[in-house]
Amino acid sequence: DTAVSQTPKYLVTQMGNDKSIKCEQNLGHDTMYWYKQDSKKFLKIMFSYNNKELIINETVPNRFSPKSPDKAHLNLHINSLELGDSAVYFCASSPRGGRWDEQFFGPGTRLTVL
Amino acid sequence: AQSVAQPEDQVKVAEGNPLTVKCTYSVSGNPYLFWYVQYPNRGLQFLLKYITGDNLVKGSYGFEAEFNKSQTSFHLKKPSALVSDSALYFCAVHLSSNTGKLIFGQGTTLQVKP
């Protein structure tokens, strides 16, 4: 099936650990995104890549580092995890990243930091 | 600052009745407006968008939205609600720059009662 997929779906870890979330899209899109949804369901963009180039880099702690090995993949690495990092992280993609493009979202990764 | 607001945290309607989920926006330049729906434990799904043209936009699952420039609103509507429409609805606006950056409203939970 064509889709945006994320692994893992659930991630439970201790404070101070380092973890990664992987995202893949097989829609042939040029642009990929990472969003954070907090406990109040508020959704905020973190990063965006267009054809492996960083386009959007919001005010996010340096502990968060995205990596795009190719335009179909966008991974998120988080160092020294903190309690406040607990959230659902969504990956998304869009055809060209233009203002008119709808975005296609993955199922999310629920990160719980203990 | 460019923003989008959803004034109601929750909307409750009876099945078969019309529904409206409200959204107002504040952007510089022409607005590019979107509605997304999030079912429990799922990623967001695109419903419809307004780019230009007809103020009444039709989308997926029988939803439509009316763009009103004078009131800076983009309310989501459906003539006859279904129980399966119960979900979290997000209004979003693309910022003026062509980066694909979406700003989301805080979300409105729609509850359709049988």
Side-chain angles (χ1 to χ4, degrees), chain A residues 10-108:
Chain A
Y10 299 96
L11 190 50
V12 181
T13 187
Q14 300 287 330
M15 270 198 310
N17 284 351
D18 303 338
K19 290 293 178 185
S20 291
I21 306 172
K22 295 186 176 182
C23 178
E24 177 181 2
Q25 56 93 5
N26 59 5
L27 298 165
H29 291 170
D30 286 342
T31 308
M32 297 183 73
Y33 310 82
W34 277 113
Y35 287 90
K36 179 180 181 180
Q37 187 174 45
D38 63 22
S39 58
K40 296 185 178 180
K41 305 294 186 182
F42 186 68
L43 205 61
K44 190 165 189 279
I45 189 163
M46 301 172 70
F47 303 102
S48 165
Y49 272 75
N50 183 280
N51 212 357
K52 299 195 297 176
E53 180 186 353
L54 182 64
I55 300 296
I56 297 172
N57 187 356
E58 288 296 284
T59 309
V60 175
N62 291 339
R63 300 181 293 102
F64 290 79
S65 54
K67 280 190 173 53
S68 181
D70 56 61
K71 75 173 192 178
H73 296 84
L74 180 61
N75 304 323
L76 183 65
H77 189 75
I78 315 170
N79 289 327
S80 303
L81 278 155
E82 299 178 358
L83 292 176
D85 298 332
S86 295
V88 180
Y89 293 85
F90 287 102
C91 177
S93 71
S94 68
R96 288 162 300 279
R99 297 172 63 194
W100 50 88
D101 282 347
E102 57 261 38
Q103 295 182 13
F104 295 74
F105 284 77

Side-chain angles (χ1 to χ4, degrees), chain A residues 9 33 35 37 40-43 45 48 55-56 58 90 97-108 110, chain B residues 30-32 34 36 38 41-44 46 49 51 88 90 94-102 104-106:
Chain A
K9 191 169 175 63
Y33 310 82
Y35 287 90
Q37 187 174 45
K40 296 185 178 180
K41 305 294 186 182
F42 186 68
L43 205 61
I45 189 163
S48 165
I55 300 296
I56 297 172
E58 288 296 284
F90 287 102
R99 297 172 63 194
W100 50 88
D101 282 347
E102 57 261 38
Q103 295 182 13
F104 295 74
F105 284 77
R110 184 175 294 276
Chain B
N30 294 323
Y32 286 52
F34 296 75
Y36 287 83
Q38 184 178 21
N41 300 313
R42 303 280 295 275
L44 278 71
F46 167 76
K49 65 182 176 183
I51 304 300
L88 180 59
F90 289 98
H94 266 304
L95 296 190
S96 300
S97 60
N98 193 25
T99 61
K101 182 175 176 180
L102 265 181
F104 285 88
Q106 63 267 49

Side-chain angles (χ1 to χ4, degrees), chain B residues 8-27:
Chain B
E8 301 157 318
D9 287 338
Q10 189 172 41
V11 169
K12 294 181 182 179
V13 299
E15 188 174 30
N17 283 0
L19 69 88
T20 299
V21 182
K22 296 180 180 178
C23 172
T24 59
Y25 65 89
S26 172
V27 299

